């Protein structure tokens, strides 16, 4: 497997070998471009690896991944050549679940515990409540996404873009809504930070707080920000600064 298919690599500005690698996982319908502004806010010894899901952007011609296990297995394999330095994982929305499953694979299969797992705008896996949106018609699917926030949703009003983007969105929702984590949920030795937009209509704060059950109590932190489900767009600099603090902890 070519790791560069799966990972867009933003090398440290210093040109030196990175001290740590931050691996970022996009939301349903999203892509690696979500993180293109992050390197400007990171220390110059941190390398960012943005995950590229199949079926979009450079991988447009490739089939979508149909289930969580296949996706997390593939990302884990792509990360293996990059484990010579410590890694931390950040996931937004659906990406939080993919990051969690990747963290478990790194830890239990390869003996690598991420420096930190940062989950954003997502209930803990054992507290998620699937909405069944992937079974609805196109208009209902788009309306369900727009209820969460407006990031990029104007693209669905352009017929050519709507035709291109809707299959991606539906496939991602099918994946995350069919995801069934282990029961009871598997904990990780990685510290966990959970992030939440205070106006996010898609996340119950108690369900986000339940991520604390998957790590040691002293290794959990909750951060809240003004904004909706896509708070990270407007709060990018603040969020990345907080993640940087976590990497130093």
């Amino acid at each position: 497997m070519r790791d560069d298919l799966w990972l867009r690599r933003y090398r440290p500005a210093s040109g030196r070998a990175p001290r740590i690698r931050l691996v970022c996982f996009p939301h349903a319908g999203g892509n690696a471009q979500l993180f293109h502004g992050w390197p400007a806010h990171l220390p110059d010894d941190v390398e960012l690896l943005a995950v590229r899901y199949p079926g979009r952007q450079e991988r447009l011609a490739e089939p979508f991944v149909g289930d969580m296990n296949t996706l997390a297995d593939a990302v884990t394999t792509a990360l293996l050549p990059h484990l010579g330095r410590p890694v931390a994982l950040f996931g937004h929305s659906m990406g939080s679940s993919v990051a969690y499953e990747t963290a478990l694979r790194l830890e239990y299969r390869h003996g690598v515990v991420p420096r930190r797992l940062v989950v954003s705008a997502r209930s803990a896996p054992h507290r998620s409540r699937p909405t069944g949106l992937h079974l609805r018609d196109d208009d209902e699917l788009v309306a369900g996404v727009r209820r969460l926030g407006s990031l990029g949703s104007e693209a669905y009003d352009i017929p050519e873009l709507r035709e291109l983007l809707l299959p991606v969105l539906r496939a991602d929702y099918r994946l995350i809504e069919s995801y069934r984590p282990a029961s009871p949920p598997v904990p990780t030795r990685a510290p966990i930070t959970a992030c939440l937009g205070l106006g996010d209509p898609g996340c119950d704060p108690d369900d986000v707080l339940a991520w604390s059950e998957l790590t040691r109590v002293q290794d959990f932190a909750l951060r809240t920000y003004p904004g909706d489900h896509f708070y990270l767009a407007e709060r990018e600099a603040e969020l990345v600064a907080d993640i940087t603090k976590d990497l130093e902890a």
Side-chain angles (χ1 to χ4, degrees), residues 105-113 189:
R105 284 157 173 77
L106 290 174
E107 179 176 345
Y108 289 95
R109 297 181 186 178
H110 301 285
V112 175
V113 179
R189 285 190 289 153

Side-chain angles (χ1 to χ4, degrees), residues 28-43:
N31 55 61
Q33 187 69 15
L34 178 69
F35 305 106
H36 79 281
W38 284 37
H41 305 296
L42 286 168

